[in-house]
Amino acid sequence: MIELSLHLLDMIQNSIEASASKIEIRIDEDLQADLLRIEIKDNGRGLSEEQTARVLDPFYTTRKTRHVGLGLPLLSEACRRCEGALEIRSLPGAGTTIRGTFRHSHVDRAPLGDMTSVLLALLLSEPPLDWLYIHRVDEEEFRLDSSEIQKELMEIPLTHPKVRKWLMGFWAEAENGLSIRALPARVGA
């Protein structure tokens, strides 16, 4: 995939397919350590030990709609290609955590991509999900919690056009601010 945001979208789709009602997405860019870490944690039905051992096989999927599951194998390869690794922890009934690490400055590391658009798709998903998004670049952090926003909006749905427009602008501005901070490390690499 040409952007890491597309890997994230695929992992989020897996969480939704696993009946998750809460998803946490964490992106940590540690420029001093030259490390990019992406973590997706859900409270879905989880996987058995046997299923967890097989999920990196591209010809294995728990879905009934197709015969292959390429998302995790592709993400694993993207991590490995950038001197990183993919870690999967899961327990039946307790959810799944997927953590991918990359050398931040690696020439083959895909850009994060359009996180705002990908995560707004999550925001507009049905049924609505409870999600937490945290993006850090060194000490700076952007955090968005859907339950906190919904609490402020009370009866107004997150999908209301004015709310969606505000969120898109707010989110894009915050992401761009973090991206600008991370850029010198990428250019200097």
Side-chain angles (χ1 to χ4, degrees), residues 124-138:
L124 302 176
S125 67
E126 287 293 333
L129 299 170
D130 188 14
W131 49 268
L132 172 66
Y133 174 73
I134 299 173
H135 184 174
R136 281 191 199 114
V137 176
D138 289 334

Side-chain angles (χ1 to χ4, degrees), residues 67-115:
H67 300 289
V68 294
L70 294 175
L72 284 168
L74 288 173
L75 179 57
S76 178
E77 178 58 23
C79 293
R80 190 198 58 74
R81 193 174 52 243
C82 298
E83 301 175 28
L86 185 70
E87 177 186 350
I88 303 166
R89 289 180 281 134
S90 188
L91 288 172
T96 301
T97 300
I98 297 170
R99 179 182 297 156
T101 57
F102 305 81
R103 185 163 62 96
H104 195 284
S105 64
H106 198 284
V107 69
D108 289 333
R109 184 182 65 79
L112 280 175
D114 188 355
M115 297 302 296

